[in-house]
Amino acid sequence: MSSSSSEFTSTDDETKINPDGRITLGSEDFKTVLFALLSNDPKYRPELLIPRSHGPVVIKTREEKLVEAAFESCTFKVLMSTVLGFGLGAVIGLFSASVTPQTPLGPDAKPQTFREVFRDMKSTSITHGKNFAIVGAMFVSVECAIESYRAKSDWKNGCSAGAITGGLIGLRAGFKPAFFGAAGFAAFSTLIDYYMKHRA
């Protein structure tokens, strides 16, 4: 693109295509292009679409990118896994307490009251909820740290995080339980990751 004026104007009134393929803008077109290039107006085009294999996608705004970054942050993942783990553990604890209630035995044993049964179910649910919340927080935090370090998102992250989490949990009972815990958690994490990514 060229112009025959040194003062950002053109002597021709019409835009022409030269034999060598270059374009000579007319005065009005030249002013329009120059104003568009030098103006401070944002060049963002919300109607611009980027083609991809599954159809076009609209360019994300700055707010959408911030929200997406917040949801993908390690802090949000750890908090979410902690809350969901506590909820799952509470449900399992409630089911466990209802299946195997702590019924007193003996000739002088009295049947439990509703308040005692409720207290027992509450205690079991909270205990299971805490355990599941700790395991979920440990697993997600380790996985997120490994993923950030490797800068990759594949099955190796979940497998490594499962091995570390299982090993730390089983280490309280000794090295042998820690080894089996690491192997079990790693295998389970790999199977779950494979299922989630290939279920479609």
Side-chain angles (χ1 to χ4, degrees):
M1 181 168 48
S2 64
S3 175
S4 59
S5 173
S6 60
E7 298 180 358
F8 303 103
T9 58
S10 176
T11 57
D12 298 330
D13 294 333
E14 297 181 358
T15 300
K16 299 178 181 179
I17 300 179
N18 300 323
D20 57 0
R22 294 184 301 173
I23 299 176
T24 302
L25 295 178
S27 58
E28 295 298 328
D29 293 337
F30 184 79
K31 292 178 182 179
T32 302
V33 173
L34 187 64
F35 177 77
L37 293 175
L38 300 180
S39 65
N40 294 326
D41 296 336
K43 305 300 186 299
Y44 174 72
R45 294 172 56 190
E47 74 279 1
L48 183 63
L49 301 179
I50 301 177
R52 61 178 184 178
S53 58
H54 299 290
V57 58
V58 181
I59 295 179
K60 297 178 182 179
T61 61
R62 181 174 178 272
E63 291 75 16
E64 291 175 340
K65 292 181 180 180
L66 290 176
V67 172
E68 183 178 354
F71 278 106
E72 293 180 354
S73 63
C74 293
T75 303
F76 179 82
K77 291 180 180 179
V78 172
L79 291 176
M80 183 60 65
S81 63
T82 303
V83 173
L84 294 179
F86 184 86
L88 178 61
V91 172
I92 294 177
L94 184 63
F95 177 76
S96 176
S98 62
V99 173
T100 57
Q102 296 182 1
T103 305
L105 302 176
D108 299 333
K110 297 181 180 180
Q112 286 183 312
T113 62
F114 175 78
R115 179 173 294 182
E116 292 175 343
V117 173
F118 179 78
R119 187 184 299 113
D120 178 51
M121 295 175 66
K122 178 182 177 182
S123 176
T124 305
S125 298
I126 293 177
T127 301
H128 281 72
K130 289 180 179 179
N131 293 335
F132 274 75
I134 292 174
V135 172
M138 288 177 58
F139 176 82
V140 174
S141 59
V142 173
E143 183 185 26
C144 194
I146 295 175
E147 182 176 348
S148 300
Y149 176 77
R150 296 181 66 239
K152 294 181 180 179
S153 179
D154 52 18
W155 63 272
K156 296 180 181 179
N157 297 332
C159 182
S160 303
I164 295 175
T165 303
L168 291 177
I169 294 175
L171 189 61
R172 296 180 298 178
F175 290 101
K176 189 174 181 180
F179 173 78
F180 285 105
F185 259 83
F188 180 75
S189 302
T190 304
L191 291 176
I192 292 297
D193 185 73
Y194 179 84
Y195 171 76
M196 295 298 292
K197 292 183 178 180
H198 297 83
R199 58 180 177 177

